[in-house]
Amino acid sequence: VPILAAMERHGIRVDKRVLSEFSSSLESAIEDASQTIYRLAGEDFNIGSPKQLGEILFDKLGLPGPKKTKTGYATGAEVLQLIAPSHQIASEVLSWRELTKLKSTYADALPRMVATDGRIHTNYSQTVAATGRLSSNEPNLQNIPIRTELGRSIRKAFVAGEGFSLASFDYSQIELRILAHLSGDEALVEAFNSGEDVHTVTASLMYGVPTDMVSKDQRRYSKMLNYAVSYGVTDFGLANQLGGDFSVSEARAFIETYWQRFPKIKAFMDGVVQEARSKGFTTTISGRRRYFGDIHALNRNERMGAERQAMNAPIQGAAADMIKLAMIRVARHLGSSSGASPIRSRMLLQVHDELVFELASGEEELIEPIRSEMESAMPLRVPVVVDAKLGANWSEMREHASLQGLRSEQGAASAVFEADAV
């Protein structure tokens, strides 16, 4: 609680000028996207209206889609993604929605939330997310998109204060590493312990080819599958993720092949669901429970939803526990200055598996101790790796010179599983 209070009090500096310029560029992009949609539709209409959009897509253009109900057609992202390969208008509408959300939710809204000290002070809660993750609100800084160039542009507005740099410390593939630890699957454990690319190793086993013969597409599909199975994704859901080249039956066969290649992962997942059925809860490495009231629901969809959540609960829950333990260790380190003057650097944000710091000029030597504290917070039977970067803003960050070469030299405390510690 004191750590979160300090983070909320410090806040993070925001450059309102960057957001204003981004808002203007988004406005132009939204107008361009709107004109393209009008041209493809053959008329102007309210793109933000599901009713009008459904009439354009399915009545006027005759695109394949859901049946019409009393309230009109469904036009959610899943529907548009399914029809995007057959008509450009669907992908254009998805793009328009992303642009308008970025403008309204971030570019226009964030400047109004900047306090008189020039910083945004989010609020953290420990008791909202069932996974055990911290949640951020007013504003939610954990939902800023980072997978697209436009989303990353928002992060450029989050800058370091005078005399400071921003430092980002991000757990690498932590949920897959926890899955390897919990399942004990030899192939997954060996991939991490040998420093091999885990997605390439997965593709090699899935397709029966040497690792140096794995194609980019084979690695990409295997990467999707590695994460999908840990979330209990269905064959239908995986088919959507993989794209139009995969049918539901092919996705189902893909998942079945994965279980054959990684039998201990399958056994672990089945065991977790069985534990949830018999006890009503699952448990993380550190002993924290998550209860599942719908695990015996008569409604099949509710029951299966609870089972999927149960599969992932020990994995995501362990990741949540790990970063909280890391925050405590790092806070202790920052608060135990042995020099003549106290440490000025401070922890600002926690975003899922990432911690963001404001690092004072001259205190760059803190980078390696912070990274080490995070990597050793919860020892696993595979190495825990933290990527550390520095920059003037949250988007444009580079690995610091002091860290070059250290990525491949994991200390024994973070690379070796210690049963007593866990």
Side-chain angles (χ1 to χ4, degrees):
V1 169
I3 294 168
L4 296 180
M7 291 165 63
E8 293 176 358
R9 184 171 65 251
H10 289 316
I12 185 167
R13 188 177 177 187
V14 172
D15 190 334
K16 295 169 76 171
R17 178 185 54 83
V18 172
L19 290 173
S20 176
E21 292 173 355
F22 188 46
S23 178
S24 297
S25 65
L26 285 172
E27 191 170 348
S28 299
I30 290 169
E31 177 59 26
D32 291 343
S34 299
Q35 293 304 320
T36 301
I37 292 168
Y38 297 152
R39 176 177 57 78
L40 293 169
E43 64 178 272
D44 291 5
F45 66 101
N46 181 359
I47 303 170
S49 165
K51 182 176 183 298
Q52 292 186 34
L53 177 62
E55 290 171 352
I56 291 290
L57 295 178
F58 307 115
D59 289 340
K60 181 175 182 179
L61 298 180
L63 298 178
K67 292 182 179 180
K68 191 172 186 178
T69 66
K70 293 179 180 179
T71 56
Y73 293 102
T75 58
E78 290 185 359
V79 173
L80 295 180
Q81 286 165 357
L82 286 173
I83 63 177
S86 61
H87 203 292
Q88 181 188 351
I89 193 170
S91 57
E92 292 292 340
V93 171
L94 287 169
S95 176
W96 180 90
R97 285 180 178 175
E98 181 193 10
L99 292 167
T100 54
K101 181 178 180 179
L102 284 172
K103 187 174 188 301
S104 62
T105 306
Y106 300 109
D108 293 346
L110 287 177
R112 296 193 294 268
M113 308 185 93
V114 176
T116 54
D117 60 359
R119 305 169 80 89
I120 278 181
H121 302 264
T122 188
N123 296 307
Y124 285 105
S125 175
Q126 300 191 69
T127 57
V128 171
T131 59
R133 297 278 194 182
L134 294 176
S135 64
S136 162
N137 58 84
E138 296 181 359
N140 183 353
L141 297 183
Q142 296 180 328
N143 261 5
I144 296 176
I146 61 170
R147 297 186 184 277
T148 65
E149 184 61 38
L150 283 170
R152 288 190 291 271
S153 295
I154 295 291
R155 288 193 169 201
K156 290 180 183 177
F158 292 84
V159 298
E162 191 86 27
F164 292 84
S165 297
L166 288 188
S168 166
F169 296 80
D170 194 1
Y171 280 112
S172 171
Q173 300 176 324
I174 193 59
E175 292 193 8
L176 283 181
R177 293 174 191 271
I178 291 170
L179 176 60
H181 170 81
L182 292 173
S183 68
D185 188 272
E186 291 85 355
L188 208 55
V189 169
E190 175 59 25
F192 282 122
N193 282 336
S194 63
E196 292 184 85
D197 177 71
V198 67
H199 304 309
T200 299
V201 171
T202 301
S204 173
L205 291 170
M206 289 291 296
Y207 291 96
V209 298
T211 53
D212 57 355
M213 297 291 289
V214 170
S215 69
K216 288 183 178 179
D217 279 345
Q218 287 173 336
R219 182 190 180 279
R220 181 166 59 88
Y221 295 146
S222 298
K223 179 180 179 179
M224 290 183 190
L225 189 57
N226 270 332
Y227 288 107
V229 295
S230 67
Y231 279 85
V233 172
T234 63
D235 45 17
F236 179 78
L238 181 62
N240 283 341
Q241 290 182 25
L242 293 171
D245 294 337
F246 282 81
S247 66
V248 173
S249 60
E250 287 171 328
R252 185 183 306 117
F254 208 30
I255 293 173
E256 289 172 354
T257 301
Y258 187 93
W259 293 139
Q260 293 168 10
R261 300 292 186 270
F262 299 93
K264 285 195 174 180
I265 296 179
K266 171 66 170 171
F268 165 70
M269 292 293 191
D270 289 345
V272 169
V273 173
Q274 186 55 44
E275 178 188 23
R277 286 181 184 142
S278 62
K279 298 180 180 178
F281 60 84
T282 58
T283 311
T284 65
I285 294 171
S286 55
R288 185 170 50 79
R289 296 178 180 181
R290 179 177 175 184
Y291 288 84
F292 296 91
D294 290 335
I295 199 71
H296 295 296
L298 296 177
N299 182 288
R300 182 175 180 272
N301 289 335
E302 292 176 1
R303 186 174 65 254
M304 291 183 68
E307 290 177 359
R308 287 194 296 272
Q309 290 176 348
M311 285 182 191
N312 184 252
I315 301 169
Q316 193 169 171
D321 293 348
M322 182 184 290
I323 199 164
K324 287 179 183 176
L325 291 169
M327 291 168 72
I328 294 169
R329 294 169 67 109
V330 170
R332 285 174 181 163
H333 186 90
L334 296 181
S336 59
S337 172
S338 58
S341 58
I343 291 174
R344 296 166 56 224
S345 300
R346 53 264 186 124
M347 197 185 321
L348 302 185
L349 301 176
Q350 191 259 48
V351 181
H352 305 306
D353 300 320
E354 176 187 14
L355 294 179
V356 179
F357 293 77
E358 208 163 33
L359 205 65
S361 178
E363 294 184 353
E364 287 79 11
E365 72 276 1
L366 290 170
I367 293 175
E368 183 52 26
I370 291 172
R371 195 174 72 107
S372 179
E373 293 285 15
M374 291 179 66
E375 289 181 343
S376 56
M378 183 186 286
L380 305 177
R381 71 175 84 200
V382 298
V384 175
V385 176
V386 171
D387 296 322
K389 296 180 180 179
L390 270 178
N393 65 63
W394 196 11
S395 176
E396 298 165 341
M397 310 187 88
R398 297 289 181 269
E399 187 175 61
H400 190 256
S402 66
L403 295 174
Q404 291 176 359
L406 290 174
R407 282 281 277 105
S408 59
E409 299 175 9
Q410 300 305 311
S414 62
V416 178
F417 167 58
E418 298 172 2
D420 290 342
V422 178

